[in-house]
Amino acid sequence: MESLTRRDFLKKGSLAGLAGAASFFAGDGCASAQQLPQGREQMLRIPRRQGRGNQPVNPKFPNIGGFVTLLADLHQHTVFSDGDLRPGARVEEAKREGLDVICLSDHIEVRPFKADIANMDLGRAYELALPKATASDILLIPGLEITRSEPYAKHLNALFLKDFNALITEKFEDAVRAAAKQEAFIFWNHPAWGQKEPKATWYPQMDEFLKEGILHGFEVVNGFEGDARDYQPDVMEWCQKYRATMLGNSDAHKATAYLTDWSAGEHRPMTLIFARDRSVEGVREALFAGRTAIYYYLPGERDLLIGDEKWLLTIFNRCFSYTPKQTGVGPNEVIFENDLPFTLELKTLNTTGIKLPEKLQVPHGSSTFSVETLGGPIRVEAEVLNFHIGKDRRMIIDMSV
């Protein structure tokens, strides 16, 4: 059976025209494998690179401000919707890649393997994954993706659900409000996806949800596979405007090892959650409070940290320091300590008492740079190119010795 990208499936597949039919969600009308569109251009997805490393990055970030830093992926799929893996395999992936928190947010309305899996209850993936997650010390969040076909951007994840089946409704709005009645954390997935241009598009309906207090966050980053890879600075601006929570998730359908070139330092997008403690309730409180940042690999370029400056600056100050080896004027060396799991890229803006290159790349760990000191107190103002604190805004740091 051929495997389709979600883009092709939802644009051309059996969802079209079925979103309004109640029987679609629970009965014979549910999308099945036999209803998938056919075509040579929709053959199995091909990895972007042939050469793959065999060990994931396993990033480590410091705890900050009295909070525990947890790495999360709150949007991914299993065979209980249109993913390729069983729930337990998603847990194993998460453990291998250093994650602390995951949600298996299977689609309510997209279930192409219904004919092949006997128990397609909406909560079944969570039930199957929970014992393995507990044994693996992974926090598993119960959740689903509300997926309606028109417009395609109406995809919302609902987390911390108590009654999965209450979200089986004819109308999109009723499903969202059914999740809200359960005090779910609700965020809008990939707002740019499905548009004619790859740009986030606002819908008045989201104004209604915000006014009602039932829309809590937006995916600033979604996906890491080919044309589904999506980073939207405009959505970051929305988060800051509406004081909504920023999220970055994989939306993985295939195995992450198939999608990721670990040897090149690639990794899935992750949400950094700054929680009061390492518990499901701690994650819930942090998400509603908006204490998050995003860790994202921009293909072929660099790792990024994306988020509000108050979180990114605290992380930077915990992870980065520099010290000249000696005082006085003349040739000198500066020792940089970078405890972040990636290379920092700095653009020098202003310096006093020292000569530095216009751009510096400071790898993880300890490194030494040859410089010239000019005497007197040393001060360096620099732009951290891979710390994004707003649309078209990079974090500025001021270092003095």
Side-chain angles (χ1 to χ4, degrees), residues 193-359:
W193 187 71
Q195 305 302 324
K196 291 181 180 179
E197 299 293 332
K199 181 177 173 59
T201 302
W202 187 261
Y203 289 92
Q205 198 163 41
M206 301 306 167
D207 286 314
E208 295 177 24
F209 291 153
L210 285 169
K211 199 174 295 183
E212 293 177 43
I214 61 176
L215 179 60
H216 310 109
F218 302 90
E219 267 188 351
V220 176
V221 169
N222 170 277
F224 61 123
E225 177 197 359
D227 65 350
R229 191 188 297 266
D230 192 15
Y231 166 33
Q232 292 290 323
D234 283 344
V235 179
M236 186 182 186
E237 193 171 51
W238 295 354
C239 290
Q240 293 171 330
K241 176 181 178 181
Y242 297 110
R243 297 184 179 177
T245 303
M246 299 184 198
L247 298 122
N249 301 304
S250 72
D251 198 359
H253 286 63
K254 281 195 169 294
T256 56
Y258 182 86
L259 302 170
T260 315
D261 186 355
W262 288 329
S263 65
E266 288 187 6
H267 54 82
R268 71 169 87 191
M270 303 177 193
T271 301
L272 275 64
I273 299 174
F274 309 115
R276 288 177 176 168
D277 56 56
R278 198 181 194 283
S279 67
V280 170
E281 185 52 42
V283 170
R284 175 188 173 84
E285 187 276 333
L287 288 175
F288 274 101
R291 294 198 303 272
T292 63
I294 299 163
Y295 180 40
Y296 177 53
Y297 180 84
L298 195 62
E301 293 191 35
R302 58 175 73 94
D303 277 292
L304 304 181
L305 268 187
I306 302 164
D308 287 335
E309 186 174 20
K310 62 182 177 181
W311 305 121
L312 269 57
L313 184 58
T314 305
I315 289 173
F316 182 88
N317 288 335
R318 282 291 308 275
C319 294
F320 184 82
S321 64
Y322 84 115
T323 310
K325 274 192 172 181
Q326 60 194 38
T327 59
V329 178
N332 203 343
E333 290 183 328
V334 174
I335 301 172
F336 289 93
E337 299 289 344
N338 173 21
D339 290 333
L340 288 162
F342 57 88
T343 296
L344 274 170
E345 299 192 17
L346 306 177
K347 179 182 178 182
T348 304
L349 301 178
N350 293 295
T351 62
T352 302
I354 193 170
K355 283 186 177 180
L356 286 176
E358 183 181 351
K359 287 191 177 180

Side-chain angles (χ1 to χ4, degrees), residues 4-19:
L4 305 178
T5 63
R6 70 181 189 279
R7 188 183 299 273
D8 284 338
F9 181 81
L10 291 178
K11 281 188 174 180
K12 304 176 184 177
S14 56
L15 263 180
L18 291 173

Side-chain angles (χ1 to χ4, degrees), residues 1-9 12 36-47 84 225 254 258:
M1 182 175 66
E2 74 176 348
S3 174
L4 305 178
T5 63
R6 70 181 189 279
R7 188 183 299 273
D8 284 338
F9 181 81
K12 304 176 184 177
L36 297 178
Q38 303 296 315
R40 291 182 60 85
E41 73 279 7
Q42 298 167 0
M43 298 300 286
L44 288 170
R45 285 172 283 186
I46 305 300
D84 287 3
E225 177 197 359
K254 281 195 169 294
Y258 182 86

Side-chain angles (χ1 to χ4, degrees), residues 13 18-19 31 35 40 59 63 71 80 133 181 233 267 314 322 391:
L18 291 173
Q35 292 172 296
R40 291 182 60 85
N63 298 331
L71 292 174
F80 285 85
K181 285 180 181 177
H267 54 82
T314 305
Y322 84 115
K391 181 182 177 181

Side-chain angles (χ1 to χ4, degrees), residues 14 18 23-32 35 114:
S14 56
L18 291 173
S23 63
F24 170 68
F25 304 111
D28 295 336
C30 180
S32 66
Q35 292 172 296
K114 177 176 179 287

Side-chain angles (χ1 to χ4, degrees), residues 89-104:
R90 287 290 182 212
V91 174
E92 291 172 6
E93 280 186 335
K95 186 67 176 177
R96 190 182 189 195
E97 294 174 40
L99 290 167
D100 303 291
V101 187
I102 62 170
C103 177
L104 306 179

